Amino acid sequence: FAVDSRTGVGKWTFRTKEAVDSAPVVAGKVAFFGCDDGFFYAVRASDGKLLDSVRLGSKLTAAPSVVNGLILIGSEDGVLHALKP
């Protein structure tokens, strides 16, 4: 879910099939996050609309990071995934 940083009022929610155990990373106008369902999601930060998702396999419980134009996220099976937004 997203909240307005000034008012604390909820702005939108995005439902996944499993738990989201980490913070998202925002790059540009897109929020990226992994999920226990093994999917990596990209949602528009302004309204939570799904832009893309990709199945990476194992649970994605680590917070993603943006490094040199790539989004890095580790999965529970010990794999580090590098994705280009």
Side-chain angles (χ1 to χ4, degrees):
F1 62 91
V3 297
D4 185 297
S5 62
R6 288 172 286 148
T7 65
V9 173
K11 292 178 70 174
W12 54 261
T13 60
F14 180 84
R15 271 217 188 273
T16 59
K17 293 181 182 179
E18 299 285 336
V20 175
D21 293 325
S22 66
V25 66
V26 177
K29 297 180 180 184
V30 181
F32 298 94
F33 62 93
C35 182
D36 283 359
D37 63 8
F39 279 87
F40 187 72
Y41 294 94
V43 300
R44 192 165 41 214
S46 62
D47 61 9
K49 180 182 183 223
L50 178 65
L51 299 174
D52 201 4
S53 65
V54 60
R55 178 137 175 80
L56 296 178
S58 186
K59 289 182 178 183
L60 302 169
T61 57
S65 297
V66 178
V67 178
N68 294 328
L70 294 174
I71 298 175
L72 305 176
I73 187 166
S75 57
E76 202 169 75
D77 60 2
V79 175
L80 176 64
H81 302 273
L83 304 165
K84 194 166 191 171

